[in-house]
PDB file of all heavy atoms in Angstrom:
ATOM      1  N   ASN L 345      14.934 -16.663  19.407  1.00 87.00           N
ATOM      2  CA  ASN L 345      15.251 -16.605  20.831  1.00 87.00           C
ATOM      3  C   ASN L 345      16.186 -17.725  21.248  1.00 87.00           C
ATOM      4  O   ASN L 345      16.332 -18.732  20.560  1.00 87.00           O
ATOM      5  CB  ASN L 345      13.977 -16.608  21.682  1.00 87.00           C
ATOM      6  CG  ASN L 345      13.234 -17.913  21.598  1.00 87.00           C
ATOM      7  OD1 ASN L 345      13.193 -18.525  20.533  1.00 87.00           O
ATOM      8  ND2 ASN L 345      12.670 -18.340  22.695  1.00 87.00           N
ATOM      9  N   SER L 346      16.866 -17.487  22.381  1.00 84.00           N
ATOM     10  CA  SER L 346      17.650 -18.539  23.021  1.00 84.00           C
ATOM     11  C   SER L 346      17.191 -18.527  24.468  1.00 84.00           C
ATOM     12  O   SER L 346      16.265 -17.785  24.821  1.00 84.00           O
ATOM     13  CB  SER L 346      19.139 -18.226  22.911  1.00 84.00           C
ATOM     14  OG  SER L 346      19.460 -17.218  23.833  1.00 84.00           O
ATOM     15  N   ALA L 347      17.814 -19.304  25.312  1.00 81.00           N
ATOM     16  CA  ALA L 347      17.371 -19.363  26.707  1.00 81.00           C
ATOM     17  C   ALA L 347      17.405 -17.977  27.350  1.00 81.00           C
ATOM     18  O   ALA L 347      16.491 -17.595  28.068  1.00 81.00           O
ATOM     19  CB  ALA L 347      18.252 -20.322  27.481  1.00 81.00           C
ATOM     20  N   ILE L 348      18.440 -17.219  27.068  1.00 82.00           N
ATOM     21  CA  ILE L 348      18.599 -15.950  27.794  1.00 82.00           C
ATOM     22  C   ILE L 348      18.678 -14.746  26.860  1.00 82.00           C
ATOM     23  O   ILE L 348      19.227 -13.701  27.211  1.00 82.00           O
ATOM     24  CB  ILE L 348      19.858 -15.981  28.693  1.00 82.00           C
ATOM     25  CG1 ILE L 348      21.073 -16.453  27.878  1.00 82.00           C
ATOM     26  CG2 ILE L 348      19.643 -16.876  29.899  1.00 82.00           C
ATOM     27  CD1 ILE L 348      22.377 -16.064  28.477  1.00 82.00           C
ATOM     28  N   SER L 349      18.134 -14.881  25.651  1.00 86.00           N
ATOM     29  CA  SER L 349      18.060 -13.706  24.788  1.00 86.00           C
ATOM     30  C   SER L 349      16.850 -13.813  23.875  1.00 86.00           C
ATOM     31  O   SER L 349      16.338 -14.922  23.621  1.00 86.00           O
ATOM     32  CB  SER L 349      19.322 -13.572  23.937  1.00 86.00           C
ATOM     33  OG  SER L 349      19.296 -14.518  22.905  1.00 86.00           O
ATOM     34  N   PHE L 350      16.429 -12.644  23.408  1.00 90.00           N
ATOM     35  CA  PHE L 350      15.286 -12.606  22.499  1.00 90.00           C
ATOM     36  C   PHE L 350      15.588 -11.513  21.477  1.00 90.00           C
ATOM     37  O   PHE L 350      15.858 -10.368  21.838  1.00 90.00           O
ATOM     38  CB  PHE L 350      14.015 -12.264  23.297  1.00 90.00           C
ATOM     39  CG  PHE L 350      12.780 -12.256  22.446  1.00 90.00           C
ATOM     40  CD1 PHE L 350      12.224 -13.440  21.991  1.00 90.00           C
ATOM     41  CD2 PHE L 350      12.168 -11.052  22.116  1.00 90.00           C
ATOM     42  CE1 PHE L 350      11.078 -13.426  21.204  1.00 90.00           C
ATOM     43  CE2 PHE L 350      11.027 -11.033  21.332  1.00 90.00           C
ATOM     44  CZ  PHE L 350      10.483 -12.228  20.870  1.00 90.00           C
ATOM     45  N   SER L 351      15.587 -11.875  20.168  1.00 94.00           N
ATOM     46  CA  SER L 351      15.914 -10.893  19.132  1.00 94.00           C
ATOM     47  C   SER L 351      14.729 -10.690  18.218  1.00 94.00           C
ATOM     48  O   SER L 351      14.015 -11.656  17.908  1.00 94.00           O
ATOM     49  CB  SER L 351      17.091 -11.376  18.284  1.00 94.00           C
ATOM     50  OG  SER L 351      18.203 -11.605  19.094  1.00 94.00           O
ATOM     51  N   LEU L 352      14.520  -9.448  17.809  1.00 93.00           N
ATOM     52  CA  LEU L 352      13.449  -9.195  16.852  1.00 93.00           C
ATOM     53  C   LEU L 352      13.902  -8.196  15.804  1.00 93.00           C
ATOM     54  O   LEU L 352      14.644  -7.268  16.098  1.00 93.00           O
ATOM     55  CB  LEU L 352      12.163  -8.733  17.542  1.00 93.00           C
ATOM     56  CG  LEU L 352      12.166  -7.617  18.556  1.00 93.00           C
ATOM     57  CD1 LEU L 352      10.824  -6.963  18.580  1.00 93.00           C
ATOM     58  CD2 LEU L 352      12.461  -8.176  19.919  1.00 93.00           C
ATOM     59  N   CYS L 353      13.434  -8.445  14.593  1.00 95.00           N
ATOM     60  CA  CYS L 353      13.781  -7.577  13.473  1.00 95.00           C
ATOM     61  C   CYS L 353      12.512  -6.810  13.087  1.00 95.00           C
ATOM     62  O   CYS L 353      11.475  -7.422  12.810  1.00 95.00           O
ATOM     63  CB  CYS L 353      14.257  -8.464  12.316  1.00 95.00           C
ATOM     64  SG  CYS L 353      14.640  -7.560  10.834  1.00 95.00           S
ATOM     65  N   ILE L 354      12.585  -5.472  13.147  1.00 93.00           N
ATOM     66  CA  ILE L 354      11.383  -4.663  12.896  1.00 93.00           C
ATOM     67  C   ILE L 354      11.657  -3.593  11.834  1.00 93.00           C
ATOM     68  O   ILE L 354      12.812  -3.256  11.570  1.00 93.00           O
ATOM     69  CB  ILE L 354      10.887  -3.949  14.190  1.00 93.00           C
ATOM     70  CG1 ILE L 354      11.972  -3.014  14.727  1.00 93.00           C
ATOM     71  CG2 ILE L 354      10.482  -4.955  15.253  1.00 93.00           C
ATOM     72  CD1 ILE L 354      11.479  -2.101  15.829  1.00 93.00           C
ATOM     73  N   ASP L 355      10.581  -3.073  11.257  1.00 89.00           N
ATOM     74  CA  ASP L 355      10.719  -1.941  10.331  1.00 89.00           C
ATOM     75  C   ASP L 355      11.176  -0.732  11.141  1.00 89.00           C
ATOM     76  O   ASP L 355      10.648  -0.464  12.210  1.00 89.00           O
ATOM     77  CB  ASP L 355       9.362  -1.589   9.694  1.00 89.00           C
ATOM     78  CG  ASP L 355       8.896  -2.678   8.744  1.00 89.00           C
ATOM     79  OD1 ASP L 355       9.744  -3.411   8.217  1.00 89.00           O
ATOM     80  OD2 ASP L 355       7.667  -2.783   8.537  1.00 89.00           O
ATOM     81  N   ASN L 356      12.137  -0.029  10.594  1.00 83.00           N
ATOM     82  CA  ASN L 356      12.693   1.110  11.327  1.00 83.00           C
ATOM     83  C   ASN L 356      12.236   2.407  10.673  1.00 83.00           C
ATOM     84  O   ASN L 356      13.001   3.341  10.509  1.00 83.00           O
ATOM     85  CB  ASN L 356      14.224   1.003  11.299  1.00 83.00           C
ATOM     86  CG  ASN L 356      14.892   2.066  12.128  1.00 83.00           C
ATOM     87  OD1 ASN L 356      14.269   2.647  13.010  1.00 83.00           O
ATOM     88  ND2 ASN L 356      16.152   2.338  11.839  1.00 83.00           N
ATOM     89  N   ALA L 357      10.945   2.433  10.270  1.00 65.00           N
ATOM     90  CA  ALA L 357      10.506   3.522   9.409  1.00 65.00           C
ATOM     91  C   ALA L 357      10.280   4.837  10.150  1.00 65.00           C
ATOM     92  O   ALA L 357      10.327   5.891   9.563  1.00 65.00           O
ATOM     93  CB  ALA L 357       9.230   3.116   8.692  1.00 65.00           C
ATOM     94  N   ASN L 358      10.031   4.815  11.427  1.00 69.00           N
ATOM     95  CA  ASN L 358       9.744   6.078  12.110  1.00 69.00           C
ATOM     96  C   ASN L 358      10.270   6.052  13.538  1.00 69.00           C
ATOM     97  O   ASN L 358      10.990   5.148  13.925  1.00 69.00           O
ATOM     98  CB  ASN L 358       8.236   6.354  12.095  1.00 69.00           C
ATOM     99  CG  ASN L 358       7.458   5.155  12.586  1.00 69.00           C
ATOM    100  OD1 ASN L 358       7.910   4.468  13.496  1.00 69.00           O
ATOM    101  ND2 ASN L 358       6.328   4.877  11.974  1.00 69.00           N
ATOM    102  N   ALA L 359       9.872   7.052  14.314  1.00 77.00           N
ATOM    103  CA  ALA L 359      10.421   7.217  15.660  1.00 77.00           C
ATOM    104  C   ALA L 359      10.058   6.057  16.588  1.00 77.00           C
ATOM    105  O   ALA L 359      10.691   5.856  17.616  1.00 77.00           O
ATOM    106  CB  ALA L 359       9.899   8.523  16.239  1.00 77.00           C
ATOM    107  N   LYS L 360       9.061   5.264  16.181  1.00 80.00           N
ATOM    108  CA  LYS L 360       8.587   4.192  17.064  1.00 80.00           C
ATOM    109  C   LYS L 360       9.705   3.226  17.465  1.00 80.00           C
ATOM    110  O   LYS L 360       9.746   2.751  18.582  1.00 80.00           O
ATOM    111  CB  LYS L 360       7.503   3.384  16.348  1.00 80.00           C
ATOM    112  CG  LYS L 360       6.129   4.000  16.386  1.00 80.00           C
ATOM    113  CD  LYS L 360       5.166   3.003  15.771  1.00 80.00           C
ATOM    114  CE  LYS L 360       3.862   3.621  15.369  1.00 80.00           C
ATOM    115  NZ  LYS L 360       3.061   2.710  14.562  1.00 80.00           N
ATOM    116  N   ALA L 361      10.600   2.921  16.503  1.00 83.00           N
ATOM    117  CA  ALA L 361      11.642   1.931  16.762  1.00 83.00           C
ATOM    118  C   ALA L 361      12.564   2.414  17.875  1.00 83.00           C
ATOM    119  O   ALA L 361      12.898   1.655  18.795  1.00 83.00           O
ATOM    120  CB  ALA L 361      12.423   1.651  15.488  1.00 83.00           C
ATOM    121  N   LYS L 362      12.948   3.682  17.820  1.00 84.00           N
ATOM    122  CA  LYS L 362      13.857   4.232  18.851  1.00 84.00           C
ATOM    123  C   LYS L 362      13.161   4.263  20.213  1.00 84.00           C
ATOM    124  O   LYS L 362      13.752   3.938  21.239  1.00 84.00           O
ATOM    125  CB  LYS L 362      14.298   5.658  18.461  1.00 84.00           C
ATOM    126  CG  LYS L 362      15.243   5.693  17.271  1.00 84.00           C
ATOM    127  CD  LYS L 362      16.704   5.621  17.679  1.00 84.00           C
ATOM    128  CE  LYS L 362      17.608   4.985  16.635  1.00 84.00           C
ATOM    129  NZ  LYS L 362      17.564   5.553  15.301  1.00 84.00           N
ATOM    130  N   GLN L 363      11.856   4.614  20.202  1.00 86.00           N
ATOM    131  CA  GLN L 363      11.098   4.631  21.464  1.00 86.00           C
ATOM    132  C   GLN L 363      11.031   3.232  22.060  1.00 86.00           C
ATOM    133  O   GLN L 363      11.109   3.045  23.271  1.00 86.00           O
ATOM    134  CB  GLN L 363       9.668   5.132  21.225  1.00 86.00           C
ATOM    135  CG  GLN L 363       9.590   6.626  20.991  1.00 86.00           C
ATOM    136  CD  GLN L 363       8.267   7.023  20.322  1.00 86.00           C
ATOM    137  OE1 GLN L 363       7.357   6.205  20.155  1.00 86.00           O
ATOM    138  NE2 GLN L 363       8.179   8.285  19.930  1.00 86.00           N
ATOM    139  N   LEU L 364      10.901   2.255  21.166  1.00 86.00           N
ATOM    140  CA  LEU L 364      10.812   0.868  21.613  1.00 86.00           C
ATOM    141  C   LEU L 364      12.105   0.473  22.329  1.00 86.00           C
ATOM    142  O   LEU L 364      12.078  -0.133  23.401  1.00 86.00           O
ATOM    143  CB  LEU L 364      10.582  -0.034  20.395  1.00 86.00           C
ATOM    144  CG  LEU L 364      10.494  -1.523  20.655  1.00 86.00           C
ATOM    145  CD1 LEU L 364       9.207  -1.856  21.404  1.00 86.00           C
ATOM    146  CD2 LEU L 364      10.522  -2.306  19.344  1.00 86.00           C
ATOM    147  N   VAL L 365      13.239   0.857  21.740  1.00 88.00           N
ATOM    148  CA  VAL L 365      14.529   0.532  22.353  1.00 88.00           C
ATOM    149  C   VAL L 365      14.601   1.165  23.749  1.00 88.00           C
ATOM    150  O   VAL L 365      14.984   0.509  24.732  1.00 88.00           O
ATOM    151  CB  VAL L 365      15.688   1.037  21.464  1.00 88.00           C
ATOM    152  CG1 VAL L 365      17.015   0.978  22.208  1.00 88.00           C
ATOM    153  CG2 VAL L 365      15.758   0.215  20.185  1.00 88.00           C
TER     154      VAL L 365
END
Side-chain angles (χ1 to χ4, degrees):
N345 67 323
S346 76
I348 50 159
S349 75
F350 182 73
S351 302
L352 50 154
C353 177
I354 60 170
D355 291 335
N356 185 20
N358 51 37
K360 279 186 197 169
K362 290 269 151 54
Q363 286 162 7
L364 179 70
V365 168

